[in-house]
Amino acid sequence: AQKITQTQPGMFVQEKEAVTLDCTYDTSDPSYGLFWYKQPSSGEMIFLIYQGSYDQQNATEGRYSLNFQKARKSANLVISASQLGDSAMYFCAMREGADDYKLSFGAGTTVTVRA
Amino acid sequence: DTGVSQDPRHKITKRGQNVTFRCDPISEHNRLYWYRQTLGQGPEFLTYFQNEAQLEKSRLLSDRFSAERPKGSFSTLEIQRTEQGDSAMYLCASSDRTILQETQYFGPGTRLLVL
């Protein structure tokens, strides 16, 4: 079964507008961490934001915020005030359990920012 | 501030040849991971090290694949008798187990093309 599901293969957003990228996850472990990464065409995976399963508040990092809805098992990424440099592939990933360290990734969402 | 580095960045080889990739993690990071990413997909976990010990290997890592991390510093990933299906991006990441969220930071990857 897919552990991470990203249902939006591609999205277009106008410069300076906000965009929400969907991510749902599947785990029975109460302890887990959720990550978002950005992958530009150059290939490097760039860490954006982290949400722990026990965190009480939604994570924020600059223009990135995470809409964490634990009961729905969703962890959507919101990018505010989009910039042309935000055009990239975005991946949601999960680390399950206290003793498991590997990440399970979704298939990704391509974001294209239009001027 | 030096991040994770990988060498080479690109490799073209003929089917049946052996190839070796190198990863240098962030210096204070004790965990090192290898992932494989095929076109249009998210990265898939291959293996990980804690210091010099290889603690987990994915079923994706066939007998033709071997990874080492001598002295707990850099790591090498060798593929013997390459096949066209090995063509992919090979990503290395490292993390610090002393930090709670233990974010994995990725290198630029090695793109392998097997002809």
Side-chain angles (χ1 to χ4, degrees):
Chain A
Q2 278 288 92
K3 292 188 178 183
I4 296 287
T5 302
Q6 295 181 255
T7 58
Q8 306 151 311
M11 296 187 70
F12 291 92
V13 59
Q14 206 65 29
E15 196 177 9
K16 299 180 185 177
E17 292 186 350
V19 62
T20 298
L21 309 183
D22 295 342
C23 171
T24 57
Y25 58 92
D26 182 25
T27 181
S28 57
D29 200 306
S31 176
Y32 52 89
L34 296 159
F35 300 80
W36 277 92
Y37 287 88
K38 171 184 177 181
Q39 188 176 42
S41 56
S42 59
E44 183 170 354
M45 300 283 285
I46 301 167
F47 166 69
L48 296 177
I49 196 166
Y50 165 83
Q51 181 84 45
S53 59
Y54 296 119
D55 293 344
Q56 295 297 313
Q57 296 194 345
N58 288 343
T60 60
E61 287 285 351
R63 295 187 297 112
Y64 305 108
S65 60
L66 207 151
N67 183 3
F68 181 44
Q69 298 188 43
K70 198 169 182 177
R72 291 187 172 186
K73 293 189 176 179
S74 75
N76 298 339
L77 176 71
V78 180
I79 306 173
S80 62
S82 296
Q83 302 172 355
L84 296 178
D86 293 335
S87 295
M89 192 81 159
Y90 289 80
F91 289 97
C92 180
M94 176 173 65
R95 185 183 67 233
E96 289 180 273
D99 299 321
D100 195 358
Y101 307 105
K102 62 183 178 290
L103 294 176
S104 299
F105 284 83
T109 296
T110 302
V111 172
T112 304
V113 181
R114 290 170 165 159
Chain B
D1 179 21
T2 54
V4 179
S5 60
Q6 293 187 244
D7 183 67
R9 295 289 306 276
H10 303 271
K11 179 71 178 180
I12 300 174
T13 190
K14 292 183 180 179
R15 190 176 52 185
Q17 298 294 306
N18 299 344
V19 294
T20 300
F21 309 142
R22 177 180 169 123
C23 170
D24 287 88
I26 294 171
S27 58
E28 62 269 25
H29 286 185
N30 37 48
R31 289 205 172 110
L32 185 149
Y33 311 79
W34 285 99
Y35 292 84
R36 182 172 69 186
Q37 185 180 21
T38 52
L39 207 58
Q41 301 297 317
E44 295 174 293
F45 170 77
L46 292 178
T47 187
Y48 99 92
F49 294 83
Q50 182 167 303
N51 300 314
E52 66 275 8
Q54 188 174 18
L55 296 187
E56 187 174 347
K57 292 195 291 185
S58 162
R59 287 172 296 174
L60 293 175
L61 216 64
S62 75
D63 292 344
R64 298 184 296 105
F65 286 71
S66 63
E68 293 182 342
R69 192 185 182 196
K71 302 178 184 178
S73 56
F74 70 91
S75 175
T76 57
L77 178 68
E78 181 183 16
I79 309 174
Q80 296 182 328
R81 305 179 304 281
T82 52
E83 302 173 356
Q84 288 182 327
D86 297 331
S87 295
M89 171 84 97
Y90 290 83
L91 291 162
C92 176
S94 68
S95 68
D96 182 354
R97 67 186 290 265
T98 63
I99 296 175
L100 182 61
Q101 73 182 50
E102 202 169 339
T103 297
Q104 293 182 25
Y105 294 92
F106 284 79
T110 295
R111 292 184 191 268
L112 172 66
L113 177 60
V114 182
L115 302 175

